[in-house]
Amino acid sequence: MRDANEALIVIDVQNDFCPGGALAVANGDAIIPLINEMLPEFSVKVFTQDWHPAGHSSFASSHDGKDPYQTAKMPYGTQVLWPDHCIQGSIGAKLHDHLHRDRADMIIRKGFRAEIDSYSAFFENDRTTPTGLEGYLRTRGVEKLTLVGLATDFCVAYSAIDGARLGFDVTVWEQACRAIDLDGSLDAARADMRAAGVTLEP
Ligand code: VGL
Ligand code: ZN
């Protein structure tokens, strides 16, 4: 059992990020047994759920003439445009059936505002609007985070970097993560995480 000040943060293990899903990450579901095995070790367990309204501004389909994986300029910066995914209430948005969902102490939803995306579990993509997770973890006495889930180079990396920036001791367990890897985004994310003081554990 880990110390009481350690939390496991399980990022976006949802049907749409697993094989057959709208934004499938290669072998995304392969991490589920590892996560299930890890869950009982932690006294604090938080899951995140990407949770977009239909017509969300991160969807290519919301931008005339744009295709998925192109980018758009948003008021808060450049945004990658995605296939429609994790629409609130859809099967694709559900946490994967094989994941031991009942173990979650809290499930935090993000990306629910139409005009802004939220990769990080802590802040929306303007990097300033909080999700509330920091307060939850601090009031539970958490100081150390282990992050697992999907996708390494987007939601896991953003969450890890923000967690480190907030002063948490952050480890990403890479074996229990999978990446989208667009044009070298995995290498870039790994370098950014290291620079932010995140520990990358194989
Ligand atoms: C994610 C792209 C769009 C993720 C979420 O969970 O990494 N990536 N929405
Ligand atoms: Zn999303």
Side-chain angles (χ1 to χ4, degrees), residues 10-17 23 47-53 56 58-59 82-90 92-95 107-112 116-121 125 150-151 155:
V10 180
I11 304 286
D12 297 0
V13 181
Q14 293 168 259
N15 292 329
D16 270 343
F17 297 122
L23 179 37
F47 292 19
T48 69
Q49 195 172 22
D50 210 40
W51 194 248
H52 301 307
H56 191 257
S58 74
F59 298 167
W82 303 107
D84 291 19
H85 65 279
C86 296
I87 294 177
Q88 295 172 357
S90 67
K94 282 188 65 181
L95 295 170
I107 299 172
I108 186 153
R109 289 172 169 167
K110 60 187 181 60
F112 50 75
I116 183 167
D117 206 1
S118 185
Y119 293 147
S120 165
N125 281 9
L150 306 170
C155 291

Side-chain angles (χ1 to χ4, degrees), residues 89-148:
S90 67
I91 304 241
K94 282 188 65 181
L95 295 170
H96 195 284
D97 272 340
H98 294 167
L99 181 68
H100 292 168
R101 297 172 295 214
D102 292 350
R103 294 257 187 200
D105 297 338
M106 173 159 96
I107 299 172
I108 186 153
R109 289 172 169 167
K110 60 187 181 60
F112 50 75
R113 289 194 179 86
E115 68 286 356
I116 183 167
D117 206 1
S118 185
Y119 293 147
S120 165
F122 292 100
F123 296 100
E124 303 200 11
N125 281 9
D126 59 5
R127 312 310 290 265
T128 53
T129 306
T131 61
L133 179 58
E134 181 191 3
Y136 179 82
L137 294 173
R138 293 217 194 278
T139 51
R140 289 203 58 191
V142 171
E143 292 169 329
K144 282 191 74 171
L145 311 177
T146 298
L147 270 68
V148 296

Side-chain angles (χ1 to χ4, degrees), residues 7-8 39-40 42-47 103-106 136 140:
L8 184 65
L39 279 164
F42 288 83
S43 46
V44 179
K45 300 169 276 285
V46 175
F47 292 19
R103 294 257 187 200
D105 297 338
M106 173 159 96
Y136 179 82
R140 289 203 58 191

